Amino acid sequence: MHGEYKVPGGKLVVVDLDVEDGVLRGVRVAGDFFLEPDEAIEAINGALEGAPADTDAAGLAARIDAALPPGTTMYGLTSEGVGVAVRRALAHATDWTDYDWQLIHDGPQSPALHMALDEVITAEVAAGRRPPTLRVWEWGAPAVVIGSFQSLRNEVDPEGAERHGITVVRRVSGGGAMFIEPGNTITYSLSVPDALVSGLSFADSYAYLDDWVLEALGDLGVKAWYQPLNDIATDAGKIAGAAQKRVVADGGAVLHHVTMAYDIDADKMLDVLRIGREKLSDKGTKSAKKRVDPLRRQTGLPREAVIERMIASFRGRYGLAEGRVTDEELSRAHELARTKFSSEEWTARVP
């Protein structure tokens, strides 16, 4: 069995192993990481040899930590990362490069249609009728997008939304509210087979699916990192938030979407969103205006250039063919946008 895992912000870990009588055998760990002293690699292999095959990643990491020689230094490698690579090998997980990725980047669309397209495209990936897809959104109108489980009245000031002509929609994934203005926002979705994140915990899958965009931001001169559970941050502040939805039907799939702040009208946002004191204190800041630091200021580039460079970074790592929403997918999405995502029943399902 073969498993690979790129440690977030680190290096690639590769594990080859067999399972005999319910325990790990013939374990060999490799990768482009740095490790001192040399004998530490054999200590890692030895710690995993004979471990019960149902040991979780944390348990495997504990075995490794207990076996490492005193003074061991790891760079680009963690005991937890090795444990995850083992779990991915046992789960027969796939890798990014195992797929022919498709890009969808269409013109501006309504907030409700974007919600519907996420649901339809991810279902098609789960059914095997569509390859894994990166969809870059263009917004046709300003919006507030609330999480699947958020209270509408607690998150949005209806008078503020009406005053600024903002549509409120509810997405299928959890997480917090996002304030959207078309020229100030960069949003993308990844619709991927469940096998790509096999062996990863829910939390680890966020970091794994965000890793490519951290490298893309680095190419733009922005030093960014994943901040659990679902934020992308820099020294200057948060720049993005992610959310996920799992599809269990057919072969299974994961929807992972990210909204990034290119620019922001903080006064307008505060007039529309009800951002409570508890949430602000949880983020360690007194001012909502300081919670988000837009990419426009950090890159000095036009929004379109930032998007182009992000797409180019993904294509350079994994390959990316131009694609489109099929007529059937679009028809289904329009119907869902009308009957579900534009309905009061769905939007106010948690009043």
Side-chain angles (χ1 to χ4, degrees), residues 111 115 137 139 141-148 150 155-156 161 166-171 173-182 184-188 230-232 238-243 257-264 268-270 272-275 279 283 291-292:
M115 304 302 109
W137 303 21
W139 292 90
V144 168
V145 183
I146 60 175
S148 181
Q150 287 189 295
E155 298 299 326
V156 182
I166 289 175
T167 301
V168 180
V169 291
R170 185 185 294 275
R171 61 180 182 267
S173 61
M178 308 301 294
F179 177 73
I180 306 295
E181 292 187 289
N184 289 347
T185 306
I186 297 172
T187 304
Y188 68 85
N230 62 333
D231 288 347
I232 296 174
K238 173 182 171 179
I239 57 173
H257 42 202
V258 174
T259 293
M260 313 180 78
Y262 172 73
D263 205 346
I264 192 165
K268 187 185 295 185
M269 179 185 71
L270 291 175
V272 175
L273 294 183
R274 289 174 168 159
I275 301 175
K279 187 168 187 177
K283 299 297 183 180
R291 286 188 55 219
V292 179

Side-chain angles (χ1 to χ4, degrees), residues 189-347:
S189 301
L190 287 169
S191 297
V192 306
D194 184 69
L196 183 63
V197 296
S198 292
L200 298 178
S201 68
F202 187 79
D204 286 340
S205 70
Y206 272 84
Y208 185 69
L209 294 176
D210 280 338
D211 190 65
W212 75 274
V213 81
L214 300 184
E215 186 168 306
L217 289 168
D219 293 341
L220 290 165
V222 178
K223 183 180 180 181
W225 59 86
Y226 165 74
Q227 184 169 293
L229 170 68
N230 62 333
D231 288 347
I232 296 174
T234 70
D235 286 331
K238 173 182 171 179
I239 57 173
Q244 286 187 6
K245 175 67 176 177
R246 303 297 173 105
V247 175
V248 297
D250 298 316
V254 177
L255 166 65
H256 180 92
H257 42 202
V258 174
T259 293
M260 313 180 78
Y262 172 73
D263 205 346
I264 192 165
D265 185 333
D267 290 326
K268 187 185 295 185
M269 179 185 71
L270 291 175
D271 199 32
V272 175
L273 294 183
R274 289 174 168 159
I275 301 175
R277 292 181 181 177
E278 183 69 22
K279 187 168 187 177
L280 293 180
S281 65
D282 179 59
K283 299 297 183 180
T285 180
K286 295 181 180 179
S287 171
K289 294 183 181 181
K290 296 180 181 178
R291 286 188 55 219
V292 179
D293 193 73
L295 286 170
R296 179 179 182 178
R297 180 162 60 247
Q298 295 202 44
T299 66
L301 294 172
R303 175 180 175 275
E304 293 74 15
V306 174
I307 292 173
E308 287 175 4
R309 294 200 189 183
M310 287 173 58
I311 292 171
S313 179
F314 190 103
R315 182 177 284 118
R317 294 181 76 174
Y318 308 126
L320 190 62
E322 297 292 331
R324 68 178 186 87
V325 179
T326 68
D327 292 342
E328 182 181 354
E329 290 169 341
L330 188 58
S331 176
R332 287 165 54 198
H334 275 297
E335 180 66 10
L336 267 178
R338 182 183 67 82
T339 61
K340 178 177 179 178
F341 293 105
S342 295
S343 72
E344 182 72 12
E345 180 183 9
W346 170 257
T347 305

